[in-house]
Amino acid sequence: TRVRSSAASDVYKRQEDAMPVIFHEETKQFHLFNREVSYIIRIMENGQMENLYYGKALRDREDFSRFHEELERSQMSVCVPEPGLLSMHYTRQEYPVYGTGDYKTPALCIRQEDGSRITDFVYKSYEIRKGKPSLAPLPATYTEDEEEADTLEITLHDERIDTDLVLSYTIYRDYPVITRNTRFLQKGPQTIVLEKAMSACVEFLDMKFEMVQLSGAWARERYVKTRPLEMGIQSVYGLDGTCSGAEHNPFMALKRPEAGEDNGEVYGFSFVYSGNFLIQTEVSTFDMTRVMVGIHPESFSWTLREGESFQTPETVMVYSDQGLNKMSQVYHRLYRKRLMRGVWRDQARPILLNNWEATYFDFNEEKILKIARKAKEAGVELFVLDDGWFGARNDDYRGLGDWYANLEKLPEGISGLSRKIEDMGLKFGLWVELEMVNKDSDLYRQHPDWLIGAPGRFESHARHQHVLDFSRKEVVDHIYEMIAKIIRESSISYIKWDMNRYMTEPCSLTAEPARQGETMHRYMLGVYDLYTRLTTEFPEILFESCASGGARFDPGMLYFAPQTWTSDDTDANERTKIQYGTSYIYPIVSMGSHVSAVPNHQVFRKTPIETRANIAYFGTFGYELDLNLLSDQEMEEVKRQVAFMKKYRELIQIDGDFYRIQSPFEGNETAWQVVSQDKKESIAMFYQKMNKVNASWLRLKLKGLKEDALYQVSLEGAPQKDYKAYGDELMYAGIPVDRTELNRRGGDFASLLYVLKEIEK
């Protein structure tokens, strides 16, 4: 722990020095900054914290107080003795409260023993340390070297209730990233109840922003939605209890109206949590914009007695002055390198085949082995057995919770099947849904009280299943022992962890009445605990998160499972939108993407097998069909696809930067691209939805290349059309898109894949 010098610093110094957190004693101002971003806060006259600036990096200086402005206004409540004019309603606060002159939405609410909710947290102390403290058991970004980041902790104290409030800020050296979280510590004898405890609040002086969110539903997750801010409240949220949800992702960006993919200011807000959340903007009638991120206060409360504490999840804020694509690339790098963990963090992913759409519940060992043998012939590396292998699971009405093999389907169990698959030269993976139970199951018959549900109330069902009460340790312990036994006895390299319904009647049958508001957060802590135990005991296993498709695609899950099933909708055309929107924040390597059969099982559309692969390449890549049903020609195409992915997956998944070029939300065409870190290699995908007759010319303008480098441009499947071009030509004039090639490849839903390699001088 140390306090940095308050001497002025230049943000353009050498990179290793451009990472300070500075406290200026005289002016009582903190400045967090690196090469790209500055965040400036001060201690106000009333002891609370004010935000003076957040944006592009500024040179440090002793005093930024000119950014604080005061003006006497009608109906203004002043919170300092006369002749002061400090009013919380017109001040950009770091952690606002309601009831002392600020009439906007607060970041916290504490119910005290006398019924009051009025608090007064004033500055007490600060600490600056190297590195980044863990938030375990909560997931969070991390550092491997203490020089990677600095952390500032500001402790505020409410004397009347003897409670500490700690505001934590971490700034990374190599990223325009500031992370925020909040911690409460009850030190006095009074019992208090947190009714609202947000992780972060940021205020802007103006409202000249457009709000970008990722919203949708099952099979159309994370569609890009953009709208201008207006006075009042706009928000995205999740209230389903068990996951971040398919409806709204725990992410929001504020961009200037003129900002695009490659230009302009953008502020990103991402919440590292998998349960109920709220990301809210509130614009005052004085055009000031307040952003708050945290656990949704609806149905939430947390009791703190003397000596107890509460830690909020982490908010990751990214600043970009180069548009949305730069924001996305920062999130991609940070989350891939400093959120994901374990042996799979830096590895390209195995090419898999999943049997779900090939068989659904209708399979036996012979059928599974036949599908696996064909997958091995195609070059696939991992076979995944999906739902239907356990208990009496012949449909989705029964069996959930009974985590032992169905010996009628698999006479030698998972242990025997996994070893037979491995004897073929394939790795073996398994599907589970550990948080759920069917009432027609041995587990429910033995423990009917283990369900989430309110006494005397109807228990809503979804997909014929119910939610286990993971807020109870004994439930988590039981499930852990059942599934760990299967894993210990078998040879398992991959687990797909599904979760197919939201929470209803959120009540725990064993919780104190005063603590029922803790149930949904404690449930999520139980999920994180089970993930922690399994990933600790079985560190070599690749976990993939899933929630009825992509309903739990959030940073909290990436901390435990470095990839997520992006959507149950595997149609290539639909996936352009789903994967495009997901790329706003999540790395390409985290997106589960498969080639499935046609007609597609979700939309019944037929698309070329080449297009299905060209879009699935930009993810983990795999197959979800029975290869035995393909023609010889299609099988040869699959072998070519597998070989292509093996050749380029390091570039696509690990080394490359991802660029969005043309949006499926704005026109008939979609285009995106990956470029290697050294800019010597690139792969670009162009896709058209509907073919056009007598159409106009098309140009595909690439991004991220070296202007003066000469590249070999190869169109996959048409080697006769290879040519050479410099980077500036490819980016500013573009590649002429060959409509005859699109016609030859089917016209509707046709795609082209370009591979670029720098020609050494």
Side-chain angles (χ1 to χ4, degrees):
T1 300
R2 84 273 189 246
V3 177
R4 289 192 184 263
S5 165
S6 63
S9 301
D10 187 334
V11 293
Y12 305 109
K13 290 193 301 182
R14 291 175 298 119
Q15 178 171 310
E16 59 267 27
D17 292 331
M19 188 198 60
V21 177
I22 295 175
F23 179 58
H24 295 290
E25 299 268 359
E26 271 192 41
T27 57
K28 295 182 171 56
Q29 294 173 16
F30 296 90
H31 187 186
L32 298 83
F33 70 105
N34 59 26
R35 286 176 170 268
E36 298 183 80
V37 64
S38 279
Y39 196 94
I40 305 170
I41 52 184
R42 76 165 186 128
I43 306 166
M44 294 185 285
E45 294 90 325
N46 65 347
Q48 297 179 26
M49 304 304 300
E50 176 185 20
N51 181 280
L52 292 177
Y53 175 82
Y54 174 33
K56 191 173 176 65
L58 304 178
R59 288 176 175 82
D60 185 56
R61 56 190 303 170
E62 185 75 25
D63 189 5
F64 291 96
S65 59
R66 67 187 59 80
F67 296 150
H68 170 81
E69 298 173 89
E70 291 180 3
L71 182 67
E72 188 169 7
R73 302 175 188 272
S74 176
Q75 298 180 326
M76 180 173 88
S77 298
V78 178
C79 61
V80 293
E82 295 186 284
L85 290 176
L86 183 64
S87 171
M88 294 296 95
H89 196 65
Y90 308 102
T91 300
R92 288 170 287 167
Q93 300 175 68
E94 283 296 287
Y95 209 73
V97 299
Y98 176 78
T100 57
D102 182 358
Y103 304 105
K104 300 186 291 297
T105 307
L108 84 159
C109 182
I110 298 178
R111 176 161 48 86
Q112 297 142 56
E113 287 183 346
D114 63 1
S116 171
R117 290 172 172 81
I118 304 302
T119 56
D120 185 21
F121 285 97
V122 300
Y123 174 79
K124 177 183 176 184
S125 63
Y126 79 94
E127 182 179 18
I128 302 172
R129 64 178 70 181
K130 289 185 177 182
K132 187 174 188 294
S134 170
L135 297 187
L138 288 170
T141 56
Y142 60 89
T143 57
E144 291 187 341
D145 184 321
E146 65 177 13
E147 295 298 330
E148 292 180 25
D150 274 8
T151 297
L152 166 67
E153 291 189 344
I154 299 175
T155 300
L156 309 174
H157 185 73
D158 186 313
E159 186 175 355
R160 183 173 178 82
I161 56 176
D162 198 9
T163 306
D164 278 351
L165 162 62
V166 182
L167 304 179
S168 182
Y169 307 77
T170 295
I171 181 166
Y172 278 83
R173 177 184 62 194
D174 297 330
Y175 305 99
V177 168
I178 295 171
T179 70
R180 297 275 307 273
N181 68 80
T182 305
R183 185 171 69 254
F184 295 85
L185 173 61
Q186 179 56 9
K187 304 172 79 172
Q190 182 178 162
T191 296
I192 63 172
V193 179
L194 302 178
E195 296 182 328
K196 185 176 189 178
M198 304 302 280
S199 295
C201 175
V202 180
E203 300 213 52
F204 298 93
L205 198 60
D206 66 281
M207 59 176 285
K208 296 175 183 175
F209 290 107
E210 292 179 341
M211 176 176 166
V212 182
Q213 66 193 71
L214 304 177
S215 299
W218 176 81
R220 50 178 175 85
E221 299 90 342
R222 289 171 301 285
Y223 278 23
V224 179
K225 305 292 182 182
T226 304
R227 50 185 161 144
L229 290 189
E230 190 46 88
M231 290 179 183
I233 290 175
Q234 300 172 81
S235 66
V236 291
Y237 63 91
L239 278 172
D240 53 63
T242 50
C243 65
S244 48
E247 285 72 26
H248 304 295
N249 199 258
F251 160 80
M252 181 193 72
L254 292 183
K255 75 177 191 71
R256 296 299 183 182
E258 68 276 8
E261 285 289 357
D262 306 298
N263 66 286
E265 279 198 319
V266 180
Y267 296 84
F269 300 89
S270 173
F271 194 38
V272 187
Y273 188 61
S274 310
N276 289 355
F277 72 92
L278 175 67
I279 304 180
Q280 175 179 294
T281 63
E282 181 173 6
V283 179
S284 76
T285 54
F286 287 87
D287 295 350
M288 296 171 66
T289 300
R290 174 176 291 177
V291 177
M292 287 197 300
V293 184
I295 294 174
H296 204 298
E298 178 66 34
S299 300
F300 168 83
S301 64
W302 199 274
T303 299
L304 290 180
R305 299 188 174 102
E306 186 173 5
E308 295 181 338
S309 63
F310 180 78
Q311 173 65 59
T312 70
E314 179 173 79
T315 298
V316 178
M317 307 189 308
V318 168
Y319 170 75
S320 168
D321 63 349
Q322 300 172 45
L324 289 160
N325 224 130
K326 170 68 179 297
M327 176 203 71
S328 298
Q329 289 177 351
V330 171
Y331 275 122
H332 293 180
R333 293 170 191 161
L334 180 72
Y335 282 177
R336 195 177 65 78
K337 300 296 290 184
R338 291 297 180 264
L339 179 66
M340 297 178 182
R341 303 171 304 148
V343 298
W344 285 100
R345 186 190 73 177
D346 300 318
Q347 291 190 50
R349 304 300 152 79
I351 298 172
L352 64 81
L353 185 140
N354 183 298
N355 75 295
W356 177 242
E357 289 190 10
T359 66
Y360 294 100
F361 296 105
D362 182 19
F363 63 82
N364 55 30
E365 184 175 272
E366 180 182 355
K367 184 183 287 188
I368 292 298
L369 292 175
K370 182 180 179 183
I371 294 172
R373 278 190 289 268
K374 197 67 172 179
K376 174 61 178 175
E377 179 188 331
V380 168
E381 299 160 311
L382 167 69
F383 177 84
V384 179
L385 180 64
D386 210 281
D387 197 353
W389 59 268
F390 52 90
R393 188 73 166 174
N394 294 314
D395 51 46
D396 58 10
Y397 287 84
R398 71 204 82 233
L400 274 180
D402 297 340
W403 299 111
Y404 47 83
N406 183 326
L407 298 182
E408 292 183 8
K409 293 181 178 181
L410 307 173
E412 297 178 50
I414 294 300
S415 174
L417 177 64
S418 66
R419 288 177 172 82
K420 290 177 183 178
I421 295 292
E422 286 217 329
D423 287 344
M424 294 181 189
L426 291 167
K427 296 294 184 182
F428 179 76
L430 194 64
W431 177 97
V432 295
E433 190 173 2
L434 302 177
E435 302 159 63
M436 302 292 154
V437 65
N438 292 123
K439 287 193 172 181
D440 187 356
S441 68
D442 292 341
L443 180 66
Y444 177 77
R445 286 184 280 271
Q446 294 165 9
H447 301 284
D449 61 323
W450 280 11
L451 269 60
I452 289 280
R457 304 292 184 186
F458 179 76
E459 295 165 340
S460 301
H461 51 87
R463 204 175 180 245
H464 322 298
Q465 64 193 54
H466 298 262
V467 183
L468 288 170
D469 188 355
F470 266 40
S471 72
R472 296 167 60 177
K473 185 177 184 300
E474 67 271 24
V475 178
V476 177
D477 289 346
H478 182 85
I479 298 300
Y480 170 70
E481 289 303 330
M482 290 186 77
I483 195 60
K485 183 176 185 293
I486 291 283
I487 299 172
R488 293 178 195 128
E489 294 173 349
S490 308
S491 185
I492 296 173
S493 301
Y494 162 104
I495 287 180
K496 180 179 180 181
W497 183 323
D498 208 344
M499 193 287 302
N500 277 301
R501 67 154 290 180
Y502 297 160
M503 189 185 296
T504 54
E505 296 81 47
C507 186
S508 176
L509 297 180
T510 59
E512 301 173 28
R515 290 188 177 270
Q516 284 295 346
E518 302 175 11
T519 297
M520 284 189 276
H521 183 57
R522 289 192 182 277
Y523 173 91
M524 196 49 59
L525 292 177
V527 173
Y528 291 154
D529 177 49
L530 183 55
Y531 256 117
T532 298
R533 294 197 222 177
L534 290 174
T535 55
T536 299
E537 182 175 354
F538 309 106
E540 301 297 321
I541 290 179
L542 172 60
F543 281 82
E544 177 170 293
S545 173
C546 178
S548 194
R552 196 187 249 172
F553 209 135
D554 63 70
M557 282 294 108
L558 288 185
Y559 182 80
F560 301 101
Q563 61 190 59
T564 300
W565 183 226
T566 314
S567 177
D568 278 344
D569 192 340
T570 56
D571 174 70
N573 180 71
E574 295 300 307
R575 273 301 186 104
T576 60
K577 291 184 176 180
I578 296 167
Q579 291 175 211
Y580 191 95
T582 304
S583 77
Y584 267 59
I585 181 168
Y586 301 106
I588 300 306
V589 71
S590 70
M591 297 187 206
S593 54
H594 295 173
V595 176
S596 61
V598 292
N600 177 265
H601 289 199
Q602 290 77 47
V603 298
F604 309 104
R605 179 183 288 125
K606 292 184 178 181
T607 55
I609 192 169
E610 180 183 43
T611 289
R612 282 175 267 157
N614 286 350
I615 291 168
Y617 287 144
F618 295 85
T620 59
F621 193 73
Y623 292 85
E624 192 149 342
L625 73 171
D626 187 347
L627 295 174
N628 292 287
L629 303 180
L630 300 186
S631 67
D632 291 344
Q633 182 179 353
E634 288 173 321
M635 191 63 184
E636 289 305 309
E637 173 63 14
V638 168
K639 292 178 181 177
R640 186 197 66 77
Q641 293 168 1
V642 170
F644 179 90
M645 191 58 184
K646 288 180 179 178
K647 183 176 181 179
Y648 291 110
R649 60 184 163 187
E650 288 284 341
L651 167 62
I652 294 171
Q653 298 177 351
I654 304 299
D655 181 57
D657 286 328
F658 184 76
Y659 292 85
R660 293 181 295 272
I661 300 176
Q662 290 179 259
S663 170
F665 298 100
E666 297 175 1
N668 190 54
E669 291 85 27
T670 302
W672 54 53
Q673 175 189 10
V674 291
V675 182
S676 64
Q677 294 292 307
D678 61 12
K679 301 184 183 297
K680 291 185 176 182
E681 283 190 295
S682 178
I683 299 175
M685 192 280 301
F686 177 89
Y687 165 80
Q688 72 171 11
K689 184 177 180 181
M690 293 286 102
N691 205 11
K692 295 182 179 180
V693 64
N694 196 23
S696 57
W697 308 117
L698 289 172
R699 293 289 184 271
L700 175 59
K701 295 182 179 180
L702 302 184
K703 298 180 180 181
L705 305 175
K706 292 188 284 188
E707 290 187 355
D708 61 349
L710 183 64
Y711 292 92
Q712 177 80 23
V713 182
S714 301
L715 175 60
E716 282 294 294
Q720 72 279 8
K721 296 190 176 182
D722 289 4
Y723 71 100
K724 299 178 179 65
Y726 283 96
D728 54 1
E729 175 187 326
L730 295 166
M731 291 189 291
Y732 309 138
I735 296 175
V737 176
D738 191 335
R739 286 197 176 276
T740 60
E741 275 295 320
L742 291 171
N743 292 335
R744 187 174 71 83
R745 299 173 193 224
D748 291 348
F749 315 118
S751 62
L752 303 174
L753 202 67
Y754 297 93
V755 177
L756 288 77
K757 294 186 179 181
E758 182 182 358
I759 299 171
E760 297 294 337
K761 297 179 182 177

